[in-house]
Amino acid sequence: MDEDMNNSEMIRDLAEENQTRKILELLNESQDIEEAKKKVKDLLEK
């Protein structure tokens, strides 16, 4: 069961890291804070 827990934790950590990378990419592509907010909001609505 510990192995399942470790795998679950690893998957969760990877998902969080990927989400953070995606948000960082959106921020870097944005012209200003308002555009960045809209892009992140749009991402959440997918």
Side-chain angles (χ1 to χ4, degrees):
M1 183 152 154
D2 281 341
E3 187 174 323
D4 289 340
M5 190 70 133
N6 288 339
N7 287 338
S8 296
E9 289 174 358
M10 188 171 68
I11 290 169
R12 184 198 67 222
D13 291 346
L14 285 172
E16 288 176 1
E17 181 180 335
N18 286 338
Q19 182 180 35
T20 302
R21 288 180 190 278
K22 191 167 199 171
I23 292 170
L24 181 58
E25 182 180 339
L26 288 175
L27 293 173
N28 285 329
E29 293 173 352
S30 299
Q31 297 295 321
D32 57 29
I33 189 69
E34 292 305 317
E35 182 181 355
K37 286 180 184 179
K38 182 181 181 328
K39 287 182 178 185
V40 172
K41 184 178 177 184
D42 291 346
L43 180 63
L44 289 172
E45 292 177 355
K46 282 187 176 183

